[in-house]
Amino acid sequence: PLSQPRETQIAATDIRGRQDITRAWIESLLGRAFESITVSSLGENRGFSGELARVALTPPAPASLVVKLPSQVPEIRQMMRQMGFYQRERLFLESLAPHAPLTIPRLLASCGPAAEPVLLLEDLRHGRPGDQSRGIDPAKARPIFEDLAGFHAHFWQSSGANSLPDWLPDFDQGPDISAFYHTSWPEFYRRFGHQLPDWLRDLAPRAGPALASLRRDLSRGPTTLLHGDLRLDNLLFFDEGGWALLDWQTVVKGRSAFDLAYLSAGNFRHHAPAALAALFDAYASSLEKHGIEDYPLETIRQDYRRSIAFLWARTVIAGARLGFERGPTFERFGLALTRWCDAAQQAQVVDLLEA
């Protein structure tokens, strides 16, 4: 049955893009015959870490599925492979997603090298894609915050406990963030320096040590499973209510407020304190309903500020190194940067970036 992942030994080296997807290849992975398939692009210009294709199946069993391939841009593919992002998504979908209290596309099959798998995913085509460019009003994000509390609570790791798998990295694992930030800053400034407020333009060149300290803070317990890339482009909304969360390449273990800050910083149309306070209250109440007692409201607020500040490192590194200079992705990044600056000003993160 398609409800369970099906590992195969079929090589994926010849699958370079949606033009290489064939009926025989689909049949070999799913273990059944089809009269025909129709392959179309999906999510074009919505991301830069890989390629998506929708495959309609005749007869429908299921009616369609999504093929997710590694990026065909060598520099991006190398970075994603070195960081383990492709492999991390497959491991999450195989071992943790079936137990998560969120709607997540099921993994139907995978193939190819462990570090660069090709994934066949359930097609939640009745969902309406979120749009990071349009953004969302904070009041409308309340159901997302409440559902995230249930997700975080399900994987909660209190101090001294660790039931999450070894392949899931801690928040502070990875390259030296201070050095990575400093090497990225000149190119980022060349591209986006004109968008920065004066306080940030003056502070940013010396923020590396503070960012490294913030990353350590966000890795200390209590921790949980984080999505790590929580933006509207990775959400689907259903007319009957509810939502689904896509793209699990950056899952990590850390303080739960990071996911809240990520959604807020790059996607909220404004960051009015009263609106954010209502969301924090809703999230804290939902955590309590799920039995979490070691993450009070004030700590959530503090970790939100730390997370907003740390996201400056992610912003600079992504803006400098992911290879885009123009087009829709570049424009979306510029908009996300403007929203982060607003979130940072409202959260008063200057002292955190100077620490």
Side-chain angles (χ1 to χ4, degrees):
L2 294 185
S3 60
Q4 297 295 325
R6 185 174 180 272
E7 280 287 350
T8 76
Q9 300 300 318
I10 297 179
T13 53
D14 294 333
I15 305 297
R16 300 183 179 275
R18 64 180 183 269
Q19 70 279 1
D20 299 318
I21 298 172
T22 65
R23 177 166 62 91
W25 182 73
I26 294 289
E27 289 175 339
S28 66
L29 287 169
L30 298 185
R32 63 186 64 184
F34 298 96
E35 294 177 6
S36 64
I37 68 168
T38 303
V39 181
S40 58
S41 176
L42 180 63
E44 195 162 10
N45 291 325
R46 294 181 67 85
F48 39 73
S49 64
E51 182 178 1
L52 297 173
R54 171 173 283 141
V55 182
L57 304 171
T58 305
S64 61
L65 54 82
V66 172
V67 177
K68 187 170 188 177
L69 303 112
S71 173
Q72 302 308 305
V73 179
E75 296 82 3
I76 295 175
R77 186 169 185 149
Q78 179 181 11
M79 182 201 72
M80 297 290 290
R81 183 177 62 249
Q82 290 176 342
M83 297 295 290
F85 289 150
Y86 295 134
Q87 183 177 23
R88 205 182 303 175
E89 181 170 38
R90 179 182 64 82
L91 291 169
F92 168 80
L93 292 171
E94 286 181 346
S95 62
L96 295 177
H99 312 290
L102 285 179
T103 300
I104 299 168
R106 290 175 295 130
L107 178 64
L108 307 180
S110 65
C111 68
E116 297 180 349
V118 175
L119 308 178
L120 272 64
L121 302 171
E122 177 186 14
D123 187 6
L124 301 176
R125 63 183 306 156
H126 60 295
R128 174 173 43 85
D131 187 342
Q132 187 174 357
S133 296
R134 293 186 60 187
I136 188 172
D137 188 273
K140 294 185 177 180
R142 179 173 180 139
I144 301 175
F145 270 52
E146 292 175 335
D147 290 347
L148 282 173
F151 171 79
H152 290 151
H154 183 81
F155 294 104
W156 201 259
Q157 309 290 294
S158 296
S159 298
N162 182 18
S163 59
L164 290 171
D166 292 340
W167 56 260
L168 185 69
D170 291 327
F171 196 87
D172 62 348
Q173 284 183 236
D176 180 339
I177 196 69
S178 181
F180 208 7
Y181 172 82
H182 280 301
T183 57
S184 302
W185 169 249
E187 178 62 15
F188 175 87
Y189 185 78
R190 183 186 70 81
R191 296 179 178 187
F192 299 103
H194 64 283
Q195 286 191 228
L196 304 182
D198 291 341
W199 67 266
L200 183 58
R201 192 180 298 112
D202 295 339
L203 171 64
R206 61 181 187 273
L211 294 168
S213 177
L214 288 165
R215 186 167 76 162
R216 289 191 295 271
D217 290 341
L218 293 171
S219 69
R220 298 188 177 106
T223 59
T224 188
L225 178 67
L226 304 178
H227 178 271
D229 189 17
L230 194 58
R231 51 195 174 88
L232 289 175
D233 286 356
N234 287 332
L235 272 66
L236 298 174
F237 296 93
F238 304 115
D239 291 340
E240 64 273 20
W243 55 284
L245 188 51
L246 317 177
D247 197 356
W248 293 85
Q249 295 168 340
T250 58
V251 285
V252 69
K253 183 172 64 176
R255 307 277 281 194
S256 68
F258 179 80
D259 272 347
L260 312 185
Y262 201 107
L263 180 64
S264 167
N267 300 270
F268 283 4
R269 294 171 184 162
H270 66 83
H271 298 89
L276 293 179
L279 289 177
F280 296 148
D281 288 343
Y283 179 79
S285 296
S286 187
L287 276 184
E288 291 178 4
K289 290 177 183 177
H290 287 90
I292 303 303
E293 300 177 347
D294 57 349
Y295 204 51
L297 177 60
E298 184 55 32
T299 303
I300 294 171
R301 293 176 180 273
Q302 293 171 358
D303 281 350
Y304 172 85
R305 285 187 68 234
R306 294 187 183 101
S307 298
I308 292 291
F310 176 75
L311 280 168
W312 177 239
R314 291 272 191 98
T315 301
V316 169
I317 292 168
R321 294 182 176 263
L322 285 181
F324 46 84
E325 285 278 357
R326 61 185 64 84
T329 301
F330 187 83
E331 294 170 3
R332 282 200 305 275
F333 186 91
L335 176 59
L337 172 60
T338 299
R339 289 175 177 157
W340 180 89
C341 290
D342 179 62
Q345 184 170 356
Q346 293 293 337
Q348 300 178 340
V349 303
V350 171
D351 61 315
L352 296 176
L353 291 174
E354 287 183 331

